[in-house]
Amino acid sequence: MKLSRFENTKRSSFWGIINKLIYLFFPFISRTIIIKELGVEYLGLNGLFTSVLTVLNLTELGIGGAIVFSMYKPLAENDDTKICALMNLYKTIYRYIGVAVLIIGLIIMPFLNMLISGDIPNGVNIYLLYIIYLSNSVLSYWLFAYKNCLLQVYQRNDISSKISIVLTLTINITQILMLVLFKNYYIYILFLPLLTITNNVVTALYVSKNYPKYKCYGTVSKEEKKDLKKRVSGLMLTKIAYASRNSFDSIVISMLLGLDAVAIYSNYYYISNSISALLIIITTSMAAGIGNSLVTEKKEKNIRDLSIISFIFITISGFCFCCLLALYQPFMRLWIGKDLLLSNALMITFSIYFLVEKSLSIIGQYYDASGLWWRGKWKGFFESILNLILNFILCYFFGMFGIILATIITILFVGFPLTVYYVFKYCFDESPINYIFNEYLNIVLISIIGIIIYFINTYIPTGSTIIYSLLFMLARIVISLIAFVILYLLFFSKTKIYKNSLSWIKSHKKNNK
């Protein structure tokens, strides 16, 4: 079976973006209410517990991604029996993972106070809150999570998005009302596991109805289990590297700088991560299509597609980067007040972190779709260890700036080049030098464009009232767009990759009319 990759990507991206906008909007409202009514320390607790549970969820070891990868080939060959056997294995493993997360989570619980520097909000039982967060994580594995793999492998993430849209609207509106009426953080958090339970059950019912030929039965051969074990072992280290770039940062900040610092960091990270989440929808929607393409298309076409898609994606990310530089401080001032602002230097560093992280997005999809986790297992290990060491050292000397700088260093000099190396060596059997050089050059040029736009926008005031602030922010957006287009065309319009990308976009539009 050959999937309609471009059409599925468009559909999944559209509904994914709608879902993500809703998913991001309501937590934004909730965060605002929590800051105003309960205090910034509550956001610090939220950031800390989320990070701890993200680390705990490494117990999953990337099994879901490995099994979805294993389904690409049998789907292309219409081997339904093998897909059913893989689903059955997925179901069994996820039950054990849920138990493992629960046990490890309970073992960690007595040491929670060691992860917090400074005061805890009055009247808050951190252990009770942690149990609610832990329950949410455990239930996500136990309740039919394995069925979502069929939607992923068929590139029907739009279905997951539609289900999530309805449930997120319903539960989050109720959640915000409860927060406003009762000003009780416990009631607010209790809706997290409720959303997880409902979402998993509804998704499972849809999959059972629309893909009835796939049941959990059969066994996977010893050779396939051995291969899967190798892939999972490598993917585990890749996931550890990702967690070290995000969750470990918050934990280290909490240990060395306190909950207030975690809250300020998490507010800035929330904004940049919200934009990242929208961009990730595009790459996630491509995942099954890339896997299908690697099975059905020639190497030359895949290399050409990788270069073009990477260039288009870094262009989109570059514009978002420029908007962050222009709007971060005035928006944060309007949202949470000037007392919770980072310095301009820290804000610029945060924005560069956003851009640098995007360099991994497309090549990372090819890395995952090629199933290179075992071959690249040490990549994730070295990246996570280096990042953790640099976190403690640089945070001790430079505070939050050191945390962000540590992550940028590990991505640029370990994560990105090694990911490219493994894809080009084991998937394409080609030298990665040109691709690495071009990506670094693109990051440098877009960073220059962003800094120029930042300094242009410094001449625009922030505004003394809400109306003036919004008007000046709108002016910054318009100026940033115009300046980005002019500078981007000046830097890139004569390049070969720019021309190839335009031709690629036009050809896909023509083929899908």
Side-chain angles (χ1 to χ4, degrees):
M1 178 184 295
K2 189 172 180 178
L3 298 176
S4 178
R5 295 188 292 270
F6 190 76
E7 190 62 33
N8 286 340
T9 297
K10 284 198 305 181
R11 178 176 55 205
S12 295
S13 296
F14 173 78
W15 285 106
I17 289 172
I18 298 298
N19 175 47
K20 190 59 67 174
L21 286 172
I22 293 172
Y23 184 78
L24 294 172
F25 174 75
F26 285 101
F28 173 78
I29 299 299
S30 299
R31 292 175 75 89
T32 304
I33 296 172
I34 290 170
I35 291 172
K36 303 298 183 184
E37 300 293 340
L38 301 179
V40 70
E41 296 87 357
Y42 283 85
L43 285 185
L45 284 174
N46 180 73
L48 174 61
F49 289 155
T50 300
S51 297
V52 170
L53 267 297
T54 299
V55 174
L56 273 184
N57 285 333
L58 292 174
T59 308
E60 197 263 353
L61 303 179
I63 289 169
I67 289 180
V68 169
F69 167 80
S70 299
M71 288 182 176
Y72 289 144
K73 186 174 181 180
L75 179 65
E77 297 174 349
N78 296 311
D79 189 348
D80 296 340
T81 302
K82 182 172 287 188
I83 292 177
C84 290
L86 286 167
M87 278 186 63
N88 193 33
L89 178 64
Y90 196 0
K91 175 183 177 181
T92 302
I93 292 174
Y94 258 39
R95 286 178 175 174
Y96 287 115
I97 290 172
V99 173
V101 171
L102 177 61
I103 293 173
I104 297 172
L106 291 175
I107 291 173
I108 290 175
M109 191 167 69
F111 306 99
L112 284 179
N113 61 333
M114 297 175 62
L115 301 179
I116 301 173
S117 174
D119 297 329
I120 297 171
N122 292 329
V124 170
N125 187 322
I126 60 172
Y127 302 102
L128 178 58
L129 285 177
Y130 177 75
I131 285 293
I132 298 173
Y133 278 95
L134 180 61
S135 300
N136 180 57
S137 184
V138 171
L139 290 171
S140 69
Y141 293 110
W142 283 349
L143 294 175
F144 312 111
Y146 63 91
K147 290 202 171 186
N148 193 54
C149 67
L150 287 175
L151 297 181
Q152 294 180 53
V153 79
Y154 268 96
Q155 261 190 298
R156 292 311 308 270
N157 292 321
D158 60 300
I159 299 300
S160 300
S161 296
K162 291 173 184 176
I163 293 171
S164 182
I165 286 170
V166 175
L167 296 178
T168 300
L169 279 172
T170 303
I171 290 182
N172 275 270
I173 289 173
T174 306
Q175 196 177 29
I176 289 171
L177 286 174
M178 294 297 102
L179 191 58
V180 171
L181 291 174
F182 298 103
K183 296 180 177 57
N184 188 301
Y185 194 67
Y186 294 108
I187 298 176
Y188 170 79
I189 291 300
L190 279 172
F191 281 89
L192 285 179
L194 177 61
L195 178 59
T196 297
I197 293 169
T198 311
N199 188 74
N200 282 21
V201 170
V202 172
T203 301
L205 291 174
Y206 177 90
V207 170
S208 298
K209 180 180 178 181
N210 290 276
Y211 299 95
K213 63 180 179 180
Y214 297 118
K215 307 287 185 182
C216 290
Y217 68 86
T219 57
V220 177
S221 67
K222 290 184 178 180
E223 291 76 15
E224 289 172 323
K225 285 184 178 179
K226 184 178 179 181
D227 183 63
L228 187 63
K229 183 178 179 180
K230 288 174 63 177
R231 295 185 191 280
V232 166
S233 299
L235 186 54
M236 173 190 67
L237 293 170
T238 300
K239 287 171 69 77
I240 290 174
Y242 178 79
S244 74
R245 293 200 300 268
N246 301 288
S247 302
F248 289 173
D249 289 358
S250 294
I251 294 173
V252 173
I253 291 172
S254 176
M255 293 175 66
L256 299 182
L257 304 178
L259 289 178
D260 285 357
V262 175
I264 295 172
Y265 174 89
S266 67
N267 282 334
Y268 276 80
Y269 183 75
Y270 177 79
I271 299 301
S272 64
N273 192 53
S274 297
I275 300 172
S276 295
L278 295 175
L279 295 176
I280 286 171
I281 293 168
I282 300 173
T283 58
T284 302
S285 300
M286 292 178 183
I290 290 172
N292 190 254
S293 178
L294 290 171
V295 173
T296 61
E297 304 288 359
K298 294 182 178 180
K299 177 182 71 174
E300 291 74 17
K301 182 181 185 304
N302 281 304
I303 293 175
R304 183 174 181 272
D305 286 349
L306 168 61
S307 298
I308 290 172
I309 295 170
S310 296
F311 181 74
I312 294 172
F313 189 78
I314 201 67
T315 298
I316 298 170
S317 303
F319 175 68
C320 296
F321 162 71
C322 293
C323 288
L324 277 176
L325 287 172
L327 298 172
Y328 235 147
Q329 297 296 63
F331 177 80
M332 298 301 280
R333 183 187 297 271
L334 182 64
W335 177 33
I336 57 177
K338 63 181 181 180
D339 293 337
L340 297 177
L341 291 181
L342 293 177
S343 67
N344 288 333
L346 265 175
M347 180 276 294
I348 292 173
T349 309
F350 224 116
S351 301
I352 292 174
Y353 165 35
F354 166 86
L355 179 64
V356 167
E357 191 179 38
K358 298 291 98 50
S359 67
L360 277 169
S361 298
I362 301 301
I363 193 65
Q365 288 295 334
Y366 276 82
Y367 180 88
D368 291 342
S370 302
L372 295 173
W373 308 301
W374 174 251
R375 293 188 182 276
K377 56 184 178 296
W378 296 115
K379 172 186 75 73
F381 175 78
F382 287 129
E383 184 180 354
S384 58
I385 293 299
L386 176 62
N387 189 45
L388 194 56
I389 292 173
L390 288 177
N391 267 344
F392 278 102
I393 295 174
L394 296 181
C395 183
Y396 180 81
F397 287 104
F398 305 109
M400 198 179 299
F401 175 80
I403 291 284
I404 304 169
L405 183 61
T407 306
I408 292 174
I409 290 172
T410 53
I411 293 175
L412 280 179
F413 299 107
V414 180
F416 173 73
L418 285 182
T419 302
V420 177
Y421 167 78
Y422 285 113
V423 170
F424 275 77
K425 179 176 174 63
Y426 295 105
C427 185
F428 299 143
D429 193 27
E430 297 280 348
S431 171
I433 299 301
N434 285 338
Y435 181 86
I436 292 174
F437 174 79
N438 288 331
E439 285 297 293
Y440 280 154
L441 180 61
N442 290 337
I443 291 173
V444 171
L445 292 177
I446 289 175
S447 295
I448 293 172
I449 292 173
I451 297 300
I452 293 172
I453 291 174
Y454 167 74
F455 281 110
I456 291 173
N457 279 289
T458 57
Y459 292 97
I460 300 175
T462 55
S464 56
T465 65
I466 294 178
I467 298 298
Y468 279 117
S469 296
L470 292 174
L471 288 174
F472 286 134
M473 287 173 63
L474 179 60
R476 285 173 178 249
I477 293 174
V478 174
I479 290 172
S480 297
L481 175 60
I482 295 172
F484 179 80
V485 171
I486 293 172
L487 293 170
Y488 178 82
L489 292 176
L490 181 65
F491 286 7
F492 293 104
S493 62
K494 301 298 182 181
T495 62
K496 182 179 178 181
I497 188 63
Y498 175 84
K499 296 174 182 178
N500 288 343
S501 299
L502 283 182
S503 300
W504 186 85
I505 293 171
K506 290 177 182 177
S507 66
H508 278 80
K509 283 185 177 180
K510 183 178 179 181
N511 293 335
N512 285 273
K513 282 185 177 178

